[in-house]
Amino acid sequence: MKEQDSPDGAVDASRQQFSILVVDDEPGMLSFLQRALAQRHGRVDTAGSVEAAVPLLRRCLYDLIVLDISLPGRSGIDWLHELRNDGYAGEVVLITAYADLDTAINALRAGASDFLLKPFSVAQMLNAVERCFERSRLRRENFVLRREIEEKSTAVDGVVCQSGAMQGVCDRLARIAPTAATVLLTGESGTGKEVVARALHKMSRRAAGPFVPVNCAAIASELIESELFGHVRGAFTGAHAAREGLFYYAQGGTLFLDEISELPAAAQAKLLRVLEERRIRPLGSEQEIPVDVRVVAATNRDLKDEVAAQRFRQDLYYRLQVLELRLPPLRERPEDVEALARHFVATLAPMLGMPPLELTPRVLARLAAYDWPGNVRELRNLVERSLILGWFDLGPDESGNDAVAAPDERLEAVEKRHILATLAASAGNKSEAARRLGISRKTLDRKCTAWGCD
């Protein structure tokens, strides 16, 4: 089996974090597998029966279980059925010395990831474990991708560095990114802290790993520890199945803790310990799991004031403040307004399926005169709304004149855009377009003729 080694010759660190439980009633087999697997994977525990394995699984969320079918008491297949019903989502390789086609079929139906017949070679077992490792890795990556889609974060935004203030931010990013230090991002709401955190991740040596964003303010205080660190089955009321935390899914990458000031006191203490020891303990577990995660935290509050008010731990504040980066509000960098507006028009128009809008001198003057209390997020939302409407709805200026067009002209423009878009979606079939629009074919012909788009 070909190993993926790091540049210095060490086995891939992610494999060292892959935990395995071997369950077999033959002491020789347990010893053989423990020695073979421990050379490549950081944690390999063994048990001689299901009864001995159950408490181990309650204390540690194993990535893989190597399970003999013929065991004293409960069989491996019966226990596998129970594991899947209880919500265990890890990999399971079933092994047996006595197998026929029906046994193999039952094993796969029970939820086995692989099936090996004794006696097997070291290479066969290592290949099976490698396949499980890859499936586990892909499962983590898919989780992260789904979470990014659900978050609908400002992934289309870029770090625009036209102003001197943002040039300074970008210069510091370039210096900070290659290090492994924890970073604290501060600034008003909407200044683009998550955008900068993503840029920091992409510029770091962890760029190939996952970027996992967490909004600490959006998670109930009683669930935040389980969300971050995971839990074992029965850890609390309603914990019917074990669950891996976000630290686990961020292995080898970056965990972005937004609104860190909203973290409850108990979770603050646990986070401080994780940052110092680089190990997590899932709720209800007696075992600690090593983690290789860079933490980037963000807040729109002054953490020194939160510490003074005894709402935030002072030791955690100093641990997070290894490298602090302040993002200036948009009103302090007016040179970036035009560049950001053009960036949003260029990136959002294709996403929305809308033609880009022209940033006329009149519009740009109005944008520059505004103080943007909602910062970059407010500007992005304005551009998105304007692309949908078909004009920059900036309201009247000091003279009472609108920035772009009179209301009646706007309504006609919206109607035209909607009809032409429907025609395009109907592949130019006017009858189909009229049906979708709820108007007569004659009305549609008349409007197309008036617009010169027959």
Side-chain angles (χ1 to χ4, degrees):
M1 181 182 66
K2 181 181 179 180
E3 291 183 20
Q4 297 181 12
D5 295 342
S6 60
D8 60 1
V11 176
D12 185 356
S14 59
R15 283 168 173 74
Q16 291 296 319
Q17 295 151 3
F18 192 70
S19 55
I20 302 174
L21 173 63
V22 181
V23 186
D24 196 299
D25 60 339
E26 298 179 35
M29 179 60 70
L30 288 180
S31 177
F32 163 69
L33 290 176
Q34 207 280 335
R35 290 196 310 270
L37 298 176
Q39 296 177 8
R40 292 168 173 79
H41 302 286
R43 184 188 185 96
V44 181
D45 292 336
T46 61
S49 65
V50 170
E51 287 68 26
V54 168
L56 293 176
L57 192 59
R58 287 174 179 167
R59 293 197 298 266
C60 180
L61 298 173
Y62 294 97
D63 297 290
L64 167 66
I65 299 176
V66 178
L67 179 61
D68 189 19
I69 291 180
S70 301
L71 292 168
R74 274 183 289 177
S75 75
I77 288 183
D78 289 342
W79 191 44
L80 178 54
H81 275 295
E82 293 179 22
L83 288 175
R84 295 308 190 200
N85 290 336
D86 289 341
Y88 176 72
E91 303 293 322
V92 177
V93 174
L94 286 178
I95 57 177
T96 184
Y98 312 99
D100 52 25
L101 182 59
D102 289 339
T103 304
I105 291 173
N106 289 334
L108 295 175
R109 285 178 176 172
S113 309
D114 213 330
F115 184 86
L116 290 179
L117 183 64
K118 297 179 182 178
F120 48 79
S121 66
V122 173
Q124 286 177 305
M125 175 55 73
L126 292 180
N127 282 330
V129 172
E130 179 66 15
R131 289 192 293 269
C132 291
F133 170 81
E134 287 301 319
R135 280 194 293 268
S136 178
R137 182 183 61 80
L138 290 173
R139 189 169 66 249
R140 293 185 193 185
E141 290 180 356
N142 289 337
F143 173 88
V144 172
L145 290 173
R146 287 197 304 271
R147 188 173 181 85
E148 287 181 351
I149 293 171
E150 291 168 1
E151 289 280 333
K152 294 190 181 296
S153 61
T154 55
V156 298
D157 298 1
V159 180
V160 175
C161 304
Q162 295 290 323
S163 64
M166 284 307 294
Q167 285 284 358
V169 169
C170 291
D171 290 344
R172 290 201 65 191
L173 272 181
R175 293 178 61 86
I176 290 171
T179 71
T182 303
V183 179
L184 177 64
L185 303 176
T186 61
E188 296 178 8
S189 180
T191 49
K193 293 185 286 294
E194 182 170 341
V195 176
V196 171
R198 287 180 182 274
L200 183 69
H201 172 71
K202 291 177 182 177
M203 296 165 65
S204 75
R205 295 169 183 167
R206 299 172 175 268
F211 177 88
V212 180
V214 187
N215 187 339
C216 298
I219 304 173
S221 58
E222 62 271 17
L223 297 177
I224 187 69
E225 290 187 49
S226 171
E227 189 78 7
L228 290 177
F229 311 115
H231 65 257
V232 298
R233 183 187 177 198
F236 51 85
T237 303
H240 301 300
R243 179 178 179 181
E244 296 153 339
L246 295 175
F247 265 95
Y248 174 84
Y249 286 106
Q251 287 276 30
T254 302
L255 182 67
F256 175 56
L257 299 176
D258 198 9
E259 305 293 352
I260 189 71
S261 61
E262 303 298 325
L263 208 60
Q268 290 181 31
K270 201 162 186 178
L271 176 61
L272 175 63
R273 191 158 180 258
V274 172
L275 292 175
E276 291 177 342
E277 300 182 5
R278 297 294 169 180
R279 303 176 73 87
I280 61 171
R281 178 181 291 176
L283 289 179
S285 174
E286 298 177 9
Q287 301 293 327
E288 292 187 333
I289 302 171
V291 290
D292 176 27
V293 175
R294 183 183 197 171
V295 172
V296 177
T299 179
N300 58 8
R301 296 187 183 183
D302 189 331
L303 286 188
K304 287 183 286 189
D305 292 343
E306 296 298 300
V307 169
Q310 298 185 342
R311 290 189 293 265
F312 200 82
R313 292 180 63 106
Q314 186 178 47
D315 47 5
L316 177 58
Y317 167 60
Y318 288 129
R319 189 64 184 80
L320 292 171
Q321 198 202 19
V322 175
L323 292 168
E324 183 173 348
L325 194 58
R326 175 185 176 270
L327 273 63
L330 195 51
R331 62 181 174 276
E332 292 181 9
R333 47 185 180 114
E335 306 95 320
D336 290 334
V337 172
E338 179 179 347
L340 281 165
R342 294 190 184 281
H343 170 74
F344 292 142
V345 169
T347 54
L348 292 174
M351 291 177 57
L352 297 170
M354 298 291 183
L357 292 175
E358 182 183 0
L359 287 160
T360 65
R362 195 177 187 185
V363 169
L364 290 173
R366 294 293 306 282
L367 295 178
Y370 187 56
D371 64 355
W372 302 105
N375 293 297
V376 179
R377 183 183 295 122
E378 183 182 5
L379 175 57
R380 182 186 187 277
N381 291 342
L382 169 68
V383 172
E384 183 173 5
R385 183 173 67 251
S386 300
L387 286 167
I388 294 171
L389 293 176
W391 70 85
F392 280 96
D393 186 14
L394 304 178
D397 59 19
E398 294 77 0
S399 63
N401 296 321
D402 186 85
V404 177
D408 56 341
E409 293 173 337
R410 292 177 180 172
L411 183 59
E412 182 180 356
V414 171
E415 180 188 40
K416 179 179 178 180
R417 287 162 64 87
H418 178 55
I419 288 177
L420 293 181
T422 305
L423 266 171
S426 305
N429 187 322
K430 287 188 177 181
S431 298
E432 174 63 17
R435 186 188 65 78
R436 294 185 184 185
L437 292 165
I439 61 177
S440 68
R441 168 66 186 268
K442 185 176 181 180
T443 299
L444 179 59
D445 284 334
R446 186 176 68 252
K447 289 184 177 294
C448 288
T449 300
W451 295 330
C453 55
D454 283 328

